[in-house]
Amino acid sequence: MQEMRAAVLKSGEKITGLWNNRTYRIVRLLGQGANGVVYYVERVRSNGDHSRPVEGYALKVGGDAIEFQSEINALKALEKIKRQQASGSRVGRDEARPFLVEADDTEIAGQKIPFYVMRYVPGMTLSVYMRKRGSDWFGFIGGKLLSRLEWLHENGWVFGDIKADNVLVRQDGDVELVDYGGLTPAGSSIRQFTEWYDRGYWNAGSRVADFGYDLFSFAVLTVHLFNEEKLKQRIAGVLPQIRQREDLMAIIRECPVLNPYESWLCRAIHSKFHSTRQAKEEWVRISKQVYRMPRRAPRPTPSWLKMSFAGSALLLLISVLYWAWREQWWLG
Amino acid sequence: MLRQILLITDGCSNVGVQPAVAAAQARDAGIAVNVVGIVDEGTIGEYGAAEIADIARAGGGISRIVNQRQLAQTMQMMTRKTVVQTIHQAVNHELKHILGREEESVRVEVLPPEQRAEVVRVMDEMGEETPLRVALLIDTSASMKPKLPAVEEAIHDLMLSLQARKGKSELSVFHFPGSHGDEHAVMDMDWAADMNRVRRLFQRLNIRGTTPTGPALLHVIDFYQYDSRARTDNIPYYSSSSNREGTGTDGVWSDYIV
Ligand SMILES: Nc1ncnc2c1ncn2[C@@H]1O[C@H](COP(=O)(O)OP(=O)(O)O)[C@@H](O)[C@H]1O
Ligand SMILES: [Mg+2]
């Protein structure tokens, strides 16, 4: 098996496609995964056309050529569905942004390497977002994520590899999925998954792609977000053959943020929903209730607030010192 | 049909023909050989690691050295990768045939993007739908004993992945060494497509000290070849370099390749 490792590119370097002949400038590294390296890039316009604003994209440089092409095909399929649905109707903010901009090969250090260009998703991974901005956002973001899944499922696809790394959240709390390497047509075997999030791993069902597979992973995702320690302990402590859904439910019950969602999560884990739409609507209903519930405990200060508090305190201190130095009052 | 052998071992062979030679014969018969080396507390040794890589190379498969915890994930990943790889090789072969060129550079990867996309889409379908058989061959020499529960668990997990495929997928299980000198491998489970038979495979083992990896591989190759069911539904398009009479798949591919 030929394992190709994409060379690490530095910012400022350029990539030109051998077939379509378009050029992109590397701005910075976005992430590195099992099947490629992702960069933030800007399209370099030929013939010095500077009238249009610079467009930013995400560009993934590949690893294994066949797997890479499958991923491109998945994005193509989604783009096609989106186009069909958009024709005739007005396109909104992200409907205008393509899943796949183009796919091409480039030559790096004398080696031909495939790459593709996709929409850039500004934002941070779900776990970073929750840590920075606090669990109040959880219900809202969960609903947004379920809407994304609903769209995929209604069009016959299953995402497969749901995990905290593959969910990006924008500043406004909207979410987008990245890494479509696991995207699988409903009815086929899941193409790529992560052990902890896998229904089969928890002896909770098959690895055939259906909407319930993603909903199950979604449930594990919530556990991972709010009680990673307990999840790790369970996984390490329980024999694989007796690992079961009840282990997940036990962790959920211990977690205050997840309490209102317990019955929802139980249904997701036991594949009891009739559709993703039903699951989403139910989720949104619960989260609206949660937001209107009287608070028992004072809300913990989110870390960004603490930081900004520390920042202002520091500024105050500096200006006092500066003033004191100018006045030289201690010298009398 | 796609055919694989997955060898699980934790050390070096010490009896009989070199395992790489046996693996080369498997490859020649259209069976890909994958190898997982299990390490736990301690290493597999330089020699063991080299042998493992050597077997997979000769057998046209993949090798990995992992600990018990990673076993299940590794086995399902290897099986999947090897399916893709086998189909890839067969398709490259067809491509050379269609273009009438034998150079190494004629590969799916060099097709123009549009055609490549279409060919890989069909390859994905084949990977999902082509019948698959995986024969597991498990080293049960003394040092492996504490690892057998993890192996059993990983087999169960692999079965789960195979069951999810659209194409018929079957598993058989062998262990080696056998209970007496000239019994090199013992069948624990004949071709099966369901879960229930997977548990409690290795209950009545009498563990012995030798590791006849090469002879055990040959045993499984023979099993593959003399199994009547496997012969009748052999796929036409898997083509090892030695036998290439009318593959009858040109029709499928010439549509995509100009
Ligand atoms: N379109 C995108 N916009 C912004 N960041 C991205 C985008 N695609 C990927 N990333 C970042 O790069 C990381 C790795 O990309 P990914 O496609 O998940 O690689 P792999 O398939 O190898 O895991 C992601 O976790 C994410 O942080
Ligand atoms: Mg990823």
Side-chain angles (χ1 to χ4, degrees):
Chain A
M1 178 121 225
Q2 191 185 3
E3 299 258 347
M4 267 203 292
R5 280 275 57 155
V8 178
L9 298 163
K10 294 186 199 70
S11 71
E13 274 186 81
K14 284 177 188 163
I15 280 192
T16 301
L18 297 172
W19 300 94
N20 300 339
N21 207 31
R22 278 192 274 263
T23 300
Y24 298 89
R25 185 187 305 108
I26 307 284
V27 178
R28 63 173 195 277
L29 181 74
L30 287 173
Q32 184 158 7
N35 195 28
V37 189
V38 185
Y39 298 95
Y40 179 71
V41 298
E42 283 168 358
R43 168 93 187 270
V44 179
R45 299 226 165 254
S46 50
N47 62 44
D49 173 13
H50 297 301
S51 55
R52 284 199 259 172
V54 188
E55 297 162 273
Y57 298 105
L59 183 151
K60 187 165 180 174
V61 191
D64 176 74
I66 302 301
E67 258 175 64
F68 204 69
Q69 184 63 53
S70 299
E71 211 170 300
I72 294 168
N73 287 355
L75 291 169
K76 264 193 176 163
L78 295 184
E79 183 57 24
K80 194 169 156 202
I81 294 168
K82 202 191 70 185
R83 288 252 175 90
Q84 280 165 356
Q85 292 173 349
S87 66
S89 63
R90 214 166 50 87
V91 289
R93 178 181 67 181
D94 54 63
E95 278 65 36
R97 302 162 59 239
F99 281 102
L100 180 72
V101 178
E102 65 162 340
D104 206 332
D105 299 326
T106 190
E107 211 168 272
I108 298 174
Q111 210 186 0
K112 241 192 193 171
I113 295 178
F115 73 89
Y116 67 84
V117 183
M118 59 189 143
R119 56 164 77 156
Y120 166 63
V121 183
M124 34 192 146
T125 65
L126 183 55
S127 30
V128 173
Y129 193 92
M130 297 305 285
R131 219 178 309 127
K132 285 202 171 155
R133 308 207 52 191
S135 57
D136 260 6
W137 282 91
F138 170 63
F140 182 77
I141 288 172
K144 292 285 181 191
L145 180 51
L146 287 168
S147 294
R148 296 279 171 195
L149 294 177
E150 183 189 356
W151 183 80
L152 287 178
H153 296 165
E154 284 190 341
N155 289 293
W157 293 92
V158 172
F159 187 74
D161 201 8
I162 292 178
K163 55 177 171 180
D165 283 348
N166 288 345
V167 181
L168 296 187
V169 191
R170 304 169 196 242
Q171 210 61 33
D172 63 6
D174 202 355
V175 304
E176 266 185 66
L177 292 160
V178 290
D179 190 355
Y180 287 83
L183 195 76
T184 309
S188 292
S189 58
I190 294 288
R191 295 180 54 88
Q192 188 181 303
F193 58 86
T194 302
E195 223 169 31
W196 288 7
Y197 291 82
D198 167 45
R199 187 164 67 179
Y201 179 78
W202 291 96
N203 295 309
S206 77
R207 286 188 183 128
V208 178
D210 55 35
F211 69 89
Y213 189 91
D214 278 348
L215 292 180
F216 183 92
S217 304
F218 178 97
V220 180
L221 174 67
T222 66
V223 179
H224 192 184
L225 280 179
F226 293 107
N227 218 337
E228 185 169 350
E229 277 314 302
K230 275 272 153 51
L231 183 62
K232 280 185 182 161
Q233 276 170 24
R234 280 272 165 175
I235 288 167
V238 176
L239 287 173
Q241 59 271 32
I242 55 167
R243 194 187 297 123
Q244 51 169 332
R245 306 175 230 231
E246 193 40 46
D247 294 306
L248 285 171
M249 288 312 300
I251 310 172
I252 288 165
R253 274 183 225 108
E254 284 174 37
C255 183
V257 186
L258 296 181
N259 257 345
Y261 298 98
E262 185 186 323
S263 71
W264 190 98
L265 292 167
C266 184
R267 287 167 79 183
I269 286 168
H270 287 86
S271 303
K272 288 283 158 58
F273 286 113
H274 300 302
S275 68
T276 309
R277 164 170 301 188
Q278 184 205 15
K280 183 199 70 181
E281 283 168 356
E282 186 67 7
W283 179 275
V284 171
R285 191 185 59 75
I286 299 171
S287 70
K288 282 185 175 159
Q289 264 173 16
V290 173
Y291 285 132
R292 284 158 186 76
M293 242 162 25
R295 307 263 171 175
R296 266 170 280 115
R299 177 153 37 96
T301 320
S303 60
W304 65 269
L305 234 175
K306 284 184 202 149
M307 275 313 284
S308 81
F309 174 77
S312 345
L314 188 65
L315 274 175
L316 183 69
L317 185 69
I318 290 169
S319 46
V320 166
L321 285 175
Y322 180 66
W323 173 82
W325 171 75
R326 272 194 18 175
E327 301 298 317
Q328 303 202 331
W329 56 270
W330 66 84
L331 296 177
Chain B
M1 181 183 309
L2 299 164
R3 306 189 291 176
Q4 302 181 3
I5 292 173
L6 177 50
L7 168 66
I8 302 168
T9 182
D10 70 345
C12 278
S13 65
N14 55 16
V15 179
V17 61
Q18 275 184 41
V21 174
Q25 288 181 36
R27 182 186 200 169
D28 220 36
I31 307 167
V33 182
N34 289 327
V35 192
V36 191
I38 310 187
V39 277
D40 265 308
E41 301 116 34
T43 61
I44 202 153
E46 210 173 304
Y47 206 72
E51 188 180 82
I52 283 166
D54 208 30
I55 298 170
R57 207 175 305 115
I62 309 169
S63 68
R64 287 280 187 283
I65 294 176
V66 297
N67 62 40
Q68 287 183 46
R69 300 253 311 271
Q70 302 161 292
L71 190 61
Q73 180 121 359
T74 305
M75 279 168 53
Q76 74 89 15
M77 180 274 292
M78 283 176 131
T79 304
R80 194 173 186 97
K81 270 202 160 158
T82 303
V83 164
V84 174
Q85 190 178 305
T86 305
I87 289 172
H88 189 182
Q89 282 159 1
V91 170
N92 282 347
H93 198 98
E94 291 299 322
L95 200 59
K96 291 193 176 92
H97 185 67
I98 291 164
L99 297 176
R101 304 214 321 256
E102 276 301 319
E103 303 104 83
E104 251 322 287
S105 62
V106 177
R107 281 176 294 136
V108 175
E109 293 93 311
V110 301
L111 290 172
E114 288 306 312
Q115 288 172 358
R116 195 189 314 164
E118 196 50 30
V119 169
V120 170
R121 194 185 59 72
V122 177
M123 284 171 60
D124 275 346
E125 263 170 40
M126 292 166 82
E128 176 71 20
E129 288 167 15
T130 310
L132 167 68
R133 278 186 166 175
V134 183
L136 293 164
L137 176 58
I138 293 140
D139 173 355
T140 54
S141 57
S143 56
M144 278 290 290
K145 193 169 186 199
K147 299 160 193 160
L148 290 180
V151 171
E152 225 170 78
E153 206 37 56
I155 296 173
H156 175 84
D157 189 87
L158 181 61
M159 186 59 117
L160 196 64
S161 283
L162 293 186
Q163 279 184 325
R165 294 178 77 244
K166 278 188 177 162
K168 185 174 185 193
S169 313
E170 293 171 299
L171 208 63
S172 64
V173 182
F174 294 79
H175 76 262
F176 68 101
S179 47
H180 53 85
D182 44 347
E183 190 184 40
H184 297 305
V186 179
M187 182 164 77
D188 300 290
M189 187 178 94
D190 200 347
W191 295 119
D194 64 296
M195 272 330 222
N196 306 332
R197 299 177 50 192
V198 175
R199 303 275 187 203
R200 301 168 170 279
L201 276 172
F202 311 115
Q203 284 199 319
R204 296 163 287 101
L205 281 184
N206 49 1
I207 303 284
R208 291 195 312 154
T210 58
T211 312
T213 313
L217 274 169
L218 291 177
H219 183 99
V220 179
I221 297 168
D222 289 347
F223 170 75
Y224 253 121
Q225 297 204 302
Y226 298 113
D227 180 56
S228 57
R229 283 178 300 157
R231 286 185 78 79
T232 51
D233 52 9
N234 210 348
I235 50 156
Y237 60 75
Y238 183 88
S239 34
S240 72
S241 49
S242 54
N243 83 85
R244 264 223 23 105
E245 72 276 14
T247 57
T249 53
D250 299 358
V252 179
W253 296 104
S254 48
D255 289 348
Y256 301 107
I257 295 149
V258 182

